């Protein structure tokens, strides 16, 4: 951005150009003061802005004024008079504080902004939602920072964002004061006075500034008095941020960014990282901006082993204290993780320096996330009112992996500005507060998908941004405690939820017994009078299930003499068909005597939850708990069963193949073909376990009170079961890596009796690789093993691209001593079995509702059992089915059918695959994509800006001008969409992971309360009957809360399966594209075979995703009907 020669003689223009280009906070402020002095301008507010506009009228300044004039002309600002006469104090010059100050200035208020520092030094990079990019462009961001969100970029460093907003705020007349610290409020001393601030230094002239609006944007650690923070706690989470110098070299430009990769759906990458470096991460993000910015979540044990943390301590603050952290080891840890994640393609990584001139690496804890319970309050003293609002981190502390901080921060800034506008318009204070709290309820749930799509219409009016918002959701009578007279404080105790004192809803135990009696009435041999002996024969449980699901049980054929067998059959039916996990073994249920059995009461309460809405029996209107479908739990149970069968079949097949090979090898050795030395190169390595000294406990089926894994006592609330074993939830971990296991995402090895995660399940003998080949794969040579062609023009491939998905066998595995057909057959058996089980009648997903796509090219016509006709699809129809997308962009409305999946193959390659079909028009697709890109940047002023700055940016992105032809518009659009998809997948994964961890913490809290109650109930000292009943009701109430959490956890685990399949599809797309981009004349027969195999795997992934879609759609529709 340069000044024409005829403007060089005008000193004001030269100063303004220096102001626009200034890269430090102090430089910006100095240039602005110099500019005002040069022009002889004084004052503040929009009056100053109009003076600057009149004095600076050359082309570059006029382009900026036109943007700001368009922004200021919005009707919400009433031509800058909406808040005329309102005096505001904004604390904090972070992005949210500056953005709030800009809005208040546009409303016509006098705005004073305080900042305790005088420099912007945070290099960390922020992810920007589409509306934030549009908003900043409307403020002229590209005039201050030419590389702002050019091309596919959707992020910016905090420092650059602060500089942009600071310059806009100064031009709009905001008074900015640095090196001033806000210490508190000074109430008015008399009726004629106003509210003031207590500042450091006390000599600041602003100590006499009186204001009637205070906006706090000082960060999470600074919250004004009167606001209470609410905390959500997950498992220990340690984040690491690091910045490296970006020299903008060609090699650096070619390295792909990582919008986010998470262990929850890409375990293989993180396992490779751990095997090679010893670094154990949950996720990692890499952005390029002024620096190379990496942020990751590290596991504590990894930090201890690598010497980053010196001593393990229970207190998180002490754990991460500077004296307990080896700084050099931390730098090495961060650098090693950055190198591996970029496949060692970033040359000469050198740490950028922070404001202390130290390497910019930081380690922080985000185990606990806090948010304010209220967004605003009003104080009144001596007749003077003060409106206090929160924005930024002090309102809602962001969860960094979601990339929501600046987006929700801007939304909160707009909401607070709307509140000030309403305040200035004379709206009664309680109505202002009620409306603000109604809007605040939406903030934590906002995402690019559920906010209004027309981002060009966004304004401070909340109805332009939030869909279907009710501004009167909270009434004025509900916020009276937020209006404080005098120096009183908010009475938070009256609103607090005391979770330790549980008030159980009614006589739950009696109600459950009445329901069981009504449900089993009329069945011969069944007389329910208690929760022990009445159920020992098994007939009562059989009658209960038969009453509501006669298709599952033939009551007349039950043998009352074999109680153990009857109970076992009912336990299996309940688990496999109803999603109810056992709490007791069949032997225990058949031998119940004495008083009511707590375990049985707990177990039967699950049936009440499942069956109580059935019209078969008239049940009490009093409900034990909120109704939740158990379809997710049932689905995961079936999924787990199918996986176990697939594992077993694969093992059996592999064992037979191994024995056959061994026989052939022995025969060859007998004839001397192999010499005298036996071949041990393919010896199967022994599976290592965490504790080989302790063999697994035998499955006796006699005692559910003892943990199968650790042998200690298992109380009801902490009891979980799988494969007929009972154990503590906390003990349900992978035997190899210690990862937490959950229903639907584990593997059980019957040979050694241990549970594993899907990544560490002992491989069948035939698929185990020799030690040297296995290490090669872990080092990242998967592509070399699979022989895919490399992409043209790409010298560095991120490890995420070559890391195979754990859900599919890699071609390399087939080459390690096995025939490809044998591996494919066993894989197909597992996939076919899984899909068939998931589509069985009686489950939530039925075959007639989910057409199954056969991967073979042809299929025989015929009628299936039950009069169903098999659907036969052509290859083109299969591809059409694969172009369905799970994450639709439309507003959430009840659809008539499920959303669709999306095949991300390059459009220019598809005709090569479907030659002769004539169904794909390459040029039309390219034109459509070009139109789509043009529509996203259709504003004329944005096009003008691109003309002025685009050349330099293109040179930076593609240093060799000859390479520009390789990146047409449609290909850049594909790259942008791929990045957006990756970011959405990463954000969903992190939200799921965080919620799973919060559920785990809540489980532990419930378990502690349940153990205490169960001990009281089982105590031999006799207590009053009323006391016993109360404790039992409280225990059942806890069980129901646990059931609800288990249902939510199961829903989340289905979402995890969806993410894994989505990631797998993305990886297959990349592989398929690499083959399709290769000229047909250069393809070998091996390439064509591999291409067809990848396509086959892709269709199978689509089949599995369709099953998940159907399940989620049926669940959603059932909830709508309820």
């Amino acid at each position: 951005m340069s000044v024409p020669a005829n403007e060089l003689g005008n000193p004001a223009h030269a100063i303004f150009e220096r102001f626009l280009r200034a890269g430090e906070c102090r430089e910006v402020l100095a240039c602005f003061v110099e500019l005002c002095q040069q022009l002889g301008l004084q004052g503040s507010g929009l009056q100053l802005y109009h003076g600057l506009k009149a004095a600076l009228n050359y082309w570059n300044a006029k382009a900026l004024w036109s943007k700001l004039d368009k922004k200021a002309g919005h009707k919400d600002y009433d031509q800058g008079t909406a808040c005329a006469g309102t005096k505001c104090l904004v604390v904090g010059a972070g992005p949210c504080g500056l953005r709030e100050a800009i809005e208040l200035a546009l409303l016509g208020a006098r705005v004073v902004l305080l900042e305790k520092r005088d420099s912007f030094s945070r290099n960390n990079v922020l992810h920007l939602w589409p509306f934030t990019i549009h908003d900043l462009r409307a403020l002229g961001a590209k005039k201050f920072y030419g590389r702002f969100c050019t091309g596919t970029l959707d992020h910016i460093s905090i420092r650059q964002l602060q500089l942009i907003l600071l310059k806009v705020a100064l031009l709009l007349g905001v008074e900015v004061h640095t090196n001033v610290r806000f210490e508190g409020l000074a109430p008015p001393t008399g009726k004629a006075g106003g509210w003031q601030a207590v500042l450091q230094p006390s000599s600041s002239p602003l100590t006499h500034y009186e204001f009637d609006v205070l906006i706090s944007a000082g960060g999470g650690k600074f919250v004004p008095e009167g606001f209470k923070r609410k905390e959500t706690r997950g498992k220990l989470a340690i984040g690491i941020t690091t910045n490296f110098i970006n020299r903008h070299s060609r090699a650096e430009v070619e390295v792909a960014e990582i919008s986010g990769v998470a262990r929850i759906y890409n375990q293989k990458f993180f396992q490779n990282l751990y095997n090679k470096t010893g670094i154990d991460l949950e996720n990692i993000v890499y952005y390029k901006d002024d620096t190379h910015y990496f942020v990751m979540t590290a596991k504590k044990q990894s930090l201890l082993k690598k010497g980053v943390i010196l001593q393990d301590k229970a207190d998180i603050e002490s754990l991460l204290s500077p004296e307990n952290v080896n700084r050099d080891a931390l730098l090495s840890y961060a650098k090693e993780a950055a190198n591996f994640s970029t496949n060692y393609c970033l040359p000469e990584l050198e740490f950028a320096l922070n404001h202390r001139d130290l390497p910019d690496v930081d380690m922080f804890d985000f185990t606990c996330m806090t948010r304010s319970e209220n967004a605003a309050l009003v104080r009144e003293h001596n007749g003077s009112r003060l409106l206090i609002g929160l924005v930024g981190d002090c309102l809602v502390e962001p969860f960094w992996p979601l990339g929501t901080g600046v987006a929700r921060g801007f939304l909160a800034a707009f909401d607070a500005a709307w509140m000030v506008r309403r305040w200035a318009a004379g709206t009664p204070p309680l109505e202002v507060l009620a409306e603000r709290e109604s809007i605040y309820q939406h903030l934590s749930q906002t995402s690019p998908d559920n906010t209004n799509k027309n981002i060009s219409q966004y304004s401070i009016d909340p109805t332009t941004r939030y869909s279907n918002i009710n501004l009167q959701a909270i009434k004025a009578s509900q916020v009276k405690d937020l209006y404080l007279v005098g120096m009183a404080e908010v009475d938070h105790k009256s609103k607090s939820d005391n979770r330790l004192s549980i008030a159980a809803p009614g006589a739950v135990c009696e109600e459950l017994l009445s329901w069981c009696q009504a449900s089993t009435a009329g069945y011969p041999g069944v007389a329910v009078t208690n929760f022990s002996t009445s159920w020992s024969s098994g007939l009562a449980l059989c009658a209960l299930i038969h009453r509501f699901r006669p298709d599952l049980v033939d009551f007349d054929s039950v043998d009352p003499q074999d109680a153990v067998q009857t109970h076992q059959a009912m336990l299996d039916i309940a688990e496999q068909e109803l999603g109810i996990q056992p709490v007791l073994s069949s032997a225990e249920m058949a031998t119940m005597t004495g008083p009511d059995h707590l375990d049985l009461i707990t177990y039967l309460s699950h049936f009440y939850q499942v069956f109580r809405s059935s019209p078969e029996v008239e049940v009490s209107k009093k409900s034990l708990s909120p109704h939740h479908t158990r379809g997710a739990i049932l689905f995961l149970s079936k999924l787990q069963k199918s996986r176990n069968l697939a594992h077993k079949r694969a093992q059996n097949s592999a064992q037979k193949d191994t024995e056959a090979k061994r026989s052939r090898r022995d025969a060859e050795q007998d004839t001397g073909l192999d010499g005298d030395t036996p071949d041990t190169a393919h010896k199967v390595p022994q599976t290592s376990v965490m504790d080989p000294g302790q063999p697994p406990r035998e499955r006796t089926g006699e005692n559910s009170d003892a943990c199968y894994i650790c042998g200690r006592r298992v109380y009801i609330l902490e009891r979980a079961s799988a494969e007929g074993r009972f154990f503590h939830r906390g003990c349900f971990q992978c035997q190899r890596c210690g990862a937490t296991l959950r229903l639907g995402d584990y593997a059980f090895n019957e040979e050694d009796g241990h549970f594993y995660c899907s990544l560490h399940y002992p491989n069948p003998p035939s698929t185990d690789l020799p030690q040297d080949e296995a290490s090669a794969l872990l080092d990242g040579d998967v592509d070399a093993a699979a022989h895919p062609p490399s992409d043209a023009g790409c010298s560095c491939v991120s490890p995420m691209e070559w890391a195979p998905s754990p859900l599919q066998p890699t071609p390399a595995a087939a080459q390690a001593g096995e025939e490809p057909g044998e591996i494919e057959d066993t894989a197909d058996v597992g996939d076919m079995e899984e899909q068939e089980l998931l589509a069985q009648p009686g489950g939530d997903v039925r075959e007639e509702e989910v057409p199954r796509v056969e991967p073979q090219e042809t299929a025989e016509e015929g009628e299936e059992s039950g009069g169903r006709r098999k659907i036969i699809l052509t290859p083109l129809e299969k591809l059409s089915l694969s172009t369905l997308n799970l994450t639709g962009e439309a507003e959430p409305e009840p659809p008539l059918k499920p959303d669709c999946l999306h095949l991300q193959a390059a459009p220019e390659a598809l005709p090569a695959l479907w030659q002769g079909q004539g169904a794909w028009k390459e040029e039309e697709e390219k034109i459509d994509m070009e139109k789509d890109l043009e529509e996203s940047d259709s504003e004329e002023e944005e096009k003008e800006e691109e003309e002025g700055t685009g050349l330099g940016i293109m040179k930076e992105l593609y240093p060799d001008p000859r390479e520009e032809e390789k990146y047409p518009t449609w290909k850049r659009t594909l790259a942008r969409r791929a990045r957006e998809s990756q970011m959405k997948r990463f954000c969903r994964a992190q939200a799921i992971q965080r919620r799973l961890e919060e559920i785990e913490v809540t489980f532990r809290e419930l378990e502690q309360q349940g153990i205490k109650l169960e001990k009281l109930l089982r105590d031999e000292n006799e207590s009053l009957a009323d006391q016993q009943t109360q404790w039992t009701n409280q225990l059942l109430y806890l069980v129901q809360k646990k059931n609800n959490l288990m249902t939510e956890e199961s829903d989340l685990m289905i979402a995890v399966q969806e993410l894994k399949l989505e990631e797998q599809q993305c990886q297959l797309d990349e592989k398929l594209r690499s083959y399709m981009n290769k000229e047909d004349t250069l393809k070998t027969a091996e390439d064509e075979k591999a291409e067809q195999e990848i396509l086959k795997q892709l269709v199978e992934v689509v089949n599995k995703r369709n099953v998940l879609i159907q399940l989620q759609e049926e669940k959603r529709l059932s909830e709508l009907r309820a």
Side-chain angles (χ1 to χ4, degrees):
M1 193 180 297
S2 59
V3 183
N6 60 352
E7 299 288 351
L8 292 176
N10 190 325
H13 294 178
I15 296 172
F16 186 68
E17 288 296 324
R18 284 196 289 114
F19 170 77
L20 294 179
R21 293 194 302 268
E24 299 291 339
C25 176
R26 288 186 291 267
E27 183 184 3
V28 171
L29 294 174
C31 287
F32 189 74
V33 170
E34 184 181 356
L35 178 64
C36 291
Q37 291 175 348
Q38 178 67 34
L39 298 176
L41 297 175
Q42 294 181 350
S44 61
L46 293 179
Q47 180 182 359
L48 177 62
Y49 167 71
H50 292 304
L52 290 169
K53 186 171 66 170
L56 300 171
N57 56 5
Y58 73 103
W59 68 273
N60 202 21
K62 289 170 68 176
L64 179 59
W65 304 143
S66 65
K67 277 195 167 293
L68 295 180
D69 284 345
K70 182 178 179 181
K71 179 73 175 178
H74 194 279
K75 60 182 179 64
D76 288 345
Y77 304 123
D78 288 342
Q79 299 298 318
T81 62
C83 292
T86 302
K87 293 182 289 184
C88 305
L89 178 67
V90 179
V91 179
C96 297
L98 287 165
R99 191 65 190 86
E100 177 68 19
I102 290 171
E103 289 300 324
L104 295 177
L106 289 170
L107 286 166
R110 181 188 175 186
V111 185
V112 174
L113 185 143
L114 305 181
E115 172 55 46
K116 62 183 179 182
R117 293 176 290 264
D118 63 353
S119 64
F120 298 152
S121 57
R122 290 185 287 177
N123 293 314
N124 293 353
V125 179
L126 299 172
H127 172 68
L128 300 178
W129 291 3
F131 95 85
T132 54
I133 296 175
H134 185 276
D135 177 67
L136 290 167
R137 279 178 173 165
L139 293 175
K142 293 184 72 66
K143 293 298 180 184
F144 306 107
Y145 183 53
R147 291 191 292 121
F148 174 76
C149 290
T150 301
T152 61
L153 296 179
D154 58 356
H155 50 74
I156 189 173
S157 69
I158 298 177
R159 187 178 67 86
Q160 285 292 353
L161 181 56
Q162 286 178 284
L163 288 172
I164 292 171
L165 295 174
L166 174 63
K167 294 171 186 178
V168 176
L170 290 171
L171 292 176
L172 293 176
V174 175
E175 304 174 44
V176 179
H177 298 263
T178 58
N179 293 317
V180 179
R181 183 185 298 272
F182 180 86
E183 298 286 345
L185 288 169
T189 56
K191 292 186 178 181
W195 289 85
Q196 297 177 339
V198 179
L199 306 174
Q200 287 294 334
S202 57
S203 58
S204 172
L206 291 177
T207 54
H208 303 295
Y209 174 61
E210 295 183 353
F211 48 89
D212 46 21
V213 174
L214 171 66
I215 301 295
S216 174
K221 295 183 179 179
F222 173 74
V223 180
E225 294 182 4
F227 291 91
K228 184 182 179 182
R229 308 284 285 175
K230 185 161 52 178
E231 179 182 277
T232 58
R233 179 177 292 271
K235 290 184 177 179
L236 177 64
I238 301 174
I240 298 176
T241 60
T242 181
N243 287 275
F244 299 97
I245 295 175
N246 188 353
R247 299 178 179 85
H248 304 287
S249 65
R250 181 189 183 94
E252 290 172 299
V253 169
E254 288 180 347
V255 179
E257 292 184 337
I258 304 170
S259 296
V261 61
R263 177 185 292 272
I264 198 170
Y265 60 80
N266 196 339
Q267 294 176 325
K268 190 66 177 179
F269 163 71
F270 293 98
Q271 187 63 39
N272 291 339
L273 171 64
Y274 179 76
N275 291 337
K276 188 173 181 66
T277 66
I279 294 173
D280 203 4
L281 302 179
E282 288 288 348
N283 51 51
I284 189 167
V285 174
Y286 162 51
Y287 284 144
K288 275 182 291 190
D289 205 85
D290 290 343
T291 61
H292 295 288
Y293 170 68
F294 292 84
V295 58
M296 62 202 80
T297 303
K299 292 191 175 183
K300 182 180 72 171
Q301 291 303 320
S302 170
L303 295 171
L304 287 167
K305 289 180 180 179
K306 299 286 285 185
V308 177
I309 296 177
L310 301 179
Q311 294 181 351
D312 190 5
K313 299 183 179 181
D315 179 54
I316 299 176
E317 188 173 348
S318 301
L319 181 73
L320 301 183
S321 62
E323 55 271 15
N324 195 42
V325 174
N326 184 331
R327 187 75 181 172
D328 292 336
L330 176 60
L331 299 181
S332 175
Y333 190 98
K335 190 171 185 178
E336 206 168 2
N339 271 321
F340 182 89
S341 62
T342 57
N343 209 18
Y344 300 90
C345 289
L346 283 176
E348 302 177 7
L349 281 181
E350 181 180 348
F351 288 103
L353 301 181
N354 59 19
H355 62 287
R356 299 187 183 92
D357 289 330
L358 296 174
D360 194 356
V361 180
D362 189 25
M363 187 161 59
F364 59 96
D365 163 55
F366 60 99
T367 302
C368 300
M369 310 303 298
T370 60
R371 66 193 304 268
S372 176
E373 289 191 348
N374 305 102
L377 59 83
V378 173
R379 287 188 176 275
E380 180 180 339
H381 192 76
N382 287 336
S384 179
R385 292 174 177 171
L386 174 67
L387 175 64
I388 307 177
L390 305 181
V391 298
D393 290 3
C394 64
L395 179 63
V396 177
E397 193 173 8
F399 181 48
W400 73 260
L402 298 184
T404 58
V406 68
R408 290 179 180 167
F410 276 23
L411 290 174
F414 299 157
D415 297 337
W418 179 258
M419 174 185 68
V420 176
R421 186 184 189 277
R422 297 270 289 160
W423 173 270
T427 307
L430 289 180
E431 291 185 18
V432 173
L433 292 173
E435 184 178 86
R436 179 69 188 97
E437 296 306 317
S438 299
I439 300 170
Y440 180 44
Q441 288 183 327
H442 287 255
L443 186 63
S444 294
Q445 286 76 42
T446 54
S447 70
D449 294 328
N450 60 23
T451 49
N452 288 335
K453 298 300 181 289
N454 191 358
I455 58 178
S456 63
Q457 299 299 316
Y458 280 20
S459 72
I460 61 174
D461 185 347
T463 59
T464 64
R465 292 174 279 116
Y466 304 114
S467 303
N468 304 319
I469 187 171
N470 180 9
L471 298 180
Q472 283 79 43
I474 295 179
K475 307 302 181 184
S477 59
Q478 298 175 262
V479 295
K480 290 181 179 179
D481 56 334
L482 299 180
Y483 190 98
L484 308 178
V485 179
M487 299 309 293
E489 297 297 329
V490 178
D491 183 13
H492 295 290
K493 292 183 180 181
S494 62
K495 303 193 303 178
S496 63
D497 174 22
N498 187 359
R499 291 183 293 178
L500 295 179
S501 59
I502 300 173
V508 181
C509 193
E510 288 78 1
E511 182 184 350
L512 179 62
L513 181 61
S514 300
W515 178 80
C516 291
Q517 290 171 338
S519 301
T520 58
Y523 283 88
V526 178
V528 175
T529 58
N530 55 37
F531 287 113
S532 57
T533 56
S534 298
W535 302 83
S536 58
S537 67
L539 291 178
L541 184 58
C542 181
L544 184 64
I545 297 175
H546 183 269
R547 170 59 60 92
F548 297 98
R549 291 294 303 274
D551 57 310
L552 299 179
V553 179
D554 183 3
F555 183 83
D556 296 331
S557 64
V558 175
D559 183 7
Q561 303 302 320
D562 193 351
V564 175
Q565 186 65 29
T566 300
H567 276 297
Q568 188 60 54
M570 295 305 103
L571 290 175
D572 292 341
I573 289 174
E575 183 175 13
Q576 296 170 12
E577 302 297 338
L578 302 177
I580 299 175
Q581 291 184 303
V583 178
L584 291 163
S585 67
S586 57
E588 289 174 318
M589 295 186 71
T591 56
M592 286 184 294
T593 58
D596 291 349
H597 206 291
L598 281 177
D599 306 76
L600 180 63
I601 295 174
T602 302
Y603 186 56
L604 293 175
S605 69
H606 299 333
F607 288 89
Y608 181 93
Q609 285 188 286
V610 172
F611 290 146
R612 66 189 174 91
S613 59
S614 173
E616 291 289 337
V617 177
E618 183 68 22
V619 297
S620 171
K621 294 182 179 180
K622 196 188 310 180
S623 68
L624 286 167
S625 69
H627 176 63
H628 286 288
T629 177
R630 302 183 70 87
I633 298 176
L634 176 58
F635 177 85
L636 291 177
S637 297
K638 288 180 174 290
L639 180 63
Q640 193 63 57
K641 179 182 177 182
S642 68
R643 285 180 174 172
N644 292 344
L645 289 174
H647 279 307
K648 190 176 298 183
R649 291 189 179 186
Q651 282 183 323
N652 293 338
S653 176
Q655 185 66 32
K656 292 179 182 179
D657 294 338
T658 302
E659 292 175 358
K661 289 186 177 183
R662 186 180 296 114
S663 300
R664 289 196 299 268
R665 186 165 56 246
D666 292 343
E668 291 172 353
Q669 290 176 352
D670 292 340
T671 58
L673 294 177
D674 285 352
D676 297 331
T677 305
D679 181 14
T680 59
H682 293 273
K683 184 178 180 180
V684 180
Q686 294 296 322
T687 302
S688 62
V689 296
M690 293 193 307
D691 190 2
Q694 290 187 357
R697 293 166 48 85
E698 293 294 328
R699 180 186 178 186
T700 63
E702 300 294 337
N703 189 4
S704 62
D705 290 339
C707 177
Y708 168 77
I709 297 172
C710 72
R712 295 194 299 269
R713 173 71 178 270
V714 185
Y715 291 92
I716 293 175
L717 259 294
E718 57 182 358
R719 188 176 303 169
S721 67
E723 307 299 324
R725 279 78 171 171
F726 299 93
F727 40 77
H728 301 95
R729 279 182 56 88
C731 291
F732 194 32
Q733 298 178 344
C734 174
Q735 181 71 8
R736 183 80 64 84
C737 66
T740 300
L741 301 178
R742 293 180 174 89
L743 182 64
D745 196 26
Y746 71 87
F748 180 71
N749 189 352
E750 292 186 355
E751 293 183 1
D752 63 14
H754 291 304
F755 293 94
Y756 297 90
C757 65
S758 57
L759 189 64
H760 289 124
Y761 183 76
N763 291 325
S766 63
T767 60
D768 277 343
L769 296 175
Q771 203 63 33
D772 54 344
E773 293 186 34
S775 62
L777 287 180
L778 293 176
D779 287 344
D781 294 330
V782 177
D783 275 352
H787 304 294
S790 59
D791 236 349
C794 181
S795 59
C796 294
V797 181
S798 172
M800 272 67 69
E801 298 177 20
W802 48 252
S805 171
L807 298 181
Q808 286 286 349
T810 63
Q815 296 175 11
E818 280 297 319
E819 295 295 329
E822 296 172 345
I823 296 295
E824 292 170 12
D825 288 344
T826 58
D828 288 345
V829 167
D831 292 339
M832 297 276 285
E833 184 71 28
E834 183 172 317
Q835 293 179 34
E836 289 171 2
L837 278 172
L838 294 180
Q840 282 180 355
D844 284 339
V845 182
R846 292 170 174 78
E847 186 174 352
E848 64 270 22
E849 296 171 345
V850 185
R852 180 160 166 254
V853 182
E854 298 292 336
Q856 290 79 9
E857 288 296 324
T858 60
E860 297 181 2
E861 294 186 9
E863 295 296 323
E864 296 185 19
S865 60
R868 301 174 188 157
R869 183 172 59 86
K870 182 175 290 185
I871 298 176
I872 303 173
L873 301 177
T874 65
L876 185 60
E877 290 172 332
K878 297 173 189 174
L879 182 63
S880 300
L881 180 60
S882 71
T883 59
L884 305 171
N885 188 3
L886 258 171
T887 57
E889 297 294 333
E891 294 291 329
E893 295 179 358
L896 297 178
K897 58 184 179 180
D899 292 339
C900 300
L901 307 177
H902 182 62
L903 183 67
Q904 299 171 347
E908 82 281 9
L910 293 173
L913 181 65
W914 307 112
Q915 287 182 355
Q917 299 291 336
W920 196 286
K921 297 182 180 179
E922 177 182 358
E923 293 301 325
E924 290 182 6
E925 180 67 13
K926 291 182 180 179
I927 293 172
D928 290 341
M929 289 188 176
E930 290 174 3
K931 288 181 179 179
D932 179 69
L933 182 65
E934 291 173 0
E935 288 173 0
S936 64
D937 295 324
S938 60
E939 295 187 8
E940 293 183 3
E941 52 266 43
E942 291 180 6
K943 292 182 180 178
E944 293 172 359
E945 290 172 356
E946 295 291 347
E947 293 174 2
T949 61
L951 183 60
I953 295 162
M954 288 297 291
K955 286 182 178 179
E956 180 180 344
L957 293 177
Y958 311 112
D960 187 353
R962 293 173 296 180
E963 289 188 344
E964 291 185 26
E965 297 179 359
K966 298 180 181 179
Y967 299 90
T969 302
W970 66 266
K971 197 163 189 177
R972 291 199 301 270
T973 303
L974 278 180
R976 183 189 64 192
R977 289 177 175 175
R979 284 169 48 83
E980 291 174 354
S981 176
Q982 185 185 41
M983 188 64 193
K984 285 183 178 180
R985 186 161 58 251
F986 177 72
C987 289
R988 293 208 314 273
Q990 293 312 297
I992 292 170
Q993 182 69 36
R994 178 69 185 187
R995 182 55 189 153
L996 286 172
E997 293 175 355
E998 291 174 357
I999 288 174
E1000 197 65 34
V1001 171
T1002 307
F1003 268 132
R1004 287 200 294 266
E1005 294 175 354
L1006 293 177
E1007 287 169 3
Q1008 293 303 316
Q1009 299 175 49
I1011 291 172
K1012 181 179 178 181
L1013 286 170
E1014 190 172 348
K1015 286 180 177 179
L1016 291 173
L1017 286 166
R1018 296 184 187 276
D1019 192 353
E1020 295 182 358
N1021 296 329
E1022 294 186 0
S1023 303
L1024 295 176
D1026 291 343
Q1027 184 68 61
Q1028 291 274 351
T1029 301
Q1030 182 181 358
W1031 288 340
T1032 303
N1033 291 339
Q1034 290 180 355
L1035 182 64
L1036 279 181
Y1037 183 69
L1038 291 178
V1039 168
Q1040 292 152 13
K1041 292 181 70 174
K1042 176 188 174 183
N1043 291 345
N1044 294 337
L1045 287 175
M1046 288 182 62
T1047 300
E1048 183 183 358
E1049 183 183 55
S1050 299
D1051 288 334
L1052 293 173
M1053 289 308 299
I1054 289 179
V1056 169
Q1057 301 300 326
E1058 178 188 326
L1059 285 175
K1060 288 182 177 180
L1061 291 173
E1062 188 177 335
E1063 175 70 12
Q1064 186 180 353
Q1065 180 181 343
C1066 181
Q1067 292 177 6
L1068 291 172
D1069 285 341
E1070 290 294 328
K1071 292 180 181 179
L1072 187 62
R1073 189 179 298 119
S1074 67
Y1075 284 107
M1076 289 178 169
N1077 287 340
K1078 196 172 184 179
E1079 293 291 338
D1080 290 343
T1081 56
L1082 300 178
K1083 289 182 181 179
T1084 64
E1086 184 179 328
D1087 289 339
E1088 293 178 354
K1089 181 179 179 181
E1091 184 177 349
Q1092 293 300 320
E1093 178 61 28
I1094 291 173
L1095 180 62
K1096 177 182 176 181
Q1097 294 179 12
L1098 194 58
V1099 174
E1100 290 172 353
V1101 170
V1102 171
N1103 284 331
K1104 295 177 182 178
R1105 291 188 68 186
N1106 283 338
V1107 173
L1108 292 179
I1109 291 172
Q1110 189 67 20
L1111 173 76
Q1112 292 172 321
E1113 179 65 10
E1114 287 189 355
K1115 181 178 183 299
R1116 188 185 68 82
L1117 292 177
S1118 66
E1119 290 175 349
L1120 288 177
R1121 288 192 295 266

